[in-house]
Amino acid sequence: MEQLTPAVPTPGVIASLSVRPWVDSIGDQGFAPMLITHPTPRRDVDTAAAIESRMLSVAHALGAAPAHAALPDAGERIAVHNGVVLVRLDGTPHTLTTRAGNWGRVICEIGHVLLAVGLDPLPTGANGAEVNEYITASVKANRLHFAAASVADSARLMYAPVELPRP
């Protein structure tokens, strides 16, 4: 059976995504994960299959692989500009954005971000315990995709030539 490449995320999908950044450490080594999820369904077209398809397109556009695969290096695709974190997605000129705050300063110091894309929805108001439970269950079910992304020195440097889909 032929493996189909997921569609490129649309501007509407990108705008609807929930982003949860935080800083963590293992021993004395700090790291900065960014969990990217779909909000809980709000429309009839937001079926489990439709949400999974959208999130697979996001994972693919970020160069992410399933949790049980080797961690891919997604290259320079993060930048902090004017207090906003910009995340480049392959195949589209649109970026995923979130406010930087202290997390933006930390990722510039660390130089890398662990991108985590969940294939299942997570309520936008989920608390820390619910997010931890989501991550644990998603990893066990192989429903979370990961990639290591580098932080570019400027937003201009994170942009590679964009290959737009052919009509």
Side-chain angles (χ1 to χ4, degrees):
M1 183 175 190
E2 183 181 336
Q3 181 79 3
L4 297 177
T5 301
V8 173
T10 65
V13 167
I14 295 168
S16 74
L17 297 173
S18 295
V19 177
R20 291 173 179 82
W22 72 97
V23 178
D24 209 335
S25 64
I26 297 175
D28 62 350
Q29 183 65 43
F31 65 100
M34 173 188 272
L35 177 62
I36 302 166
T37 59
H38 193 287
T40 50
R42 292 177 271 195
R43 305 169 303 171
D44 290 342
V45 297
D46 291 338
T47 64
I51 290 170
E52 179 177 8
S53 176
R54 290 176 200 144
M55 297 313 293
L56 282 170
S57 75
V58 171
H60 184 261
L62 291 172
H68 296 28
L71 181 66
D73 180 348
E76 278 191 335
R77 63 175 64 241
I78 310 280
V80 179
H81 181 71
N82 291 334
V84 176
V85 174
L86 307 166
V87 182
R88 177 179 54 81
L89 294 102
D90 294 337
T92 178
H94 306 285
T95 57
L96 175 61
T97 62
T98 190
R99 293 204 177 273
N102 186 49
W103 191 78
R105 181 190 57 75
V106 171
I107 65 171
C108 288
E109 289 174 8
I110 294 173
H112 290 65
V113 172
L114 175 64
L115 298 172
V117 180
L119 301 186
D120 300 307
L122 178 65
T124 53
N127 63 35
E130 292 166 327
V131 171
N132 287 340
E133 185 178 309
Y134 176 90
I135 292 169
T136 300
S138 295
V139 167
K140 284 181 183 175
N142 211 24
R143 306 279 298 157
L144 203 58
H145 288 223
F146 292 99
S150 298
V151 179
D153 289 334
S154 89
R156 285 187 303 243
L157 295 177
M158 75 171 195
Y159 287 97
V162 176
E163 289 184 33
L164 295 175
R166 293 187 177 162

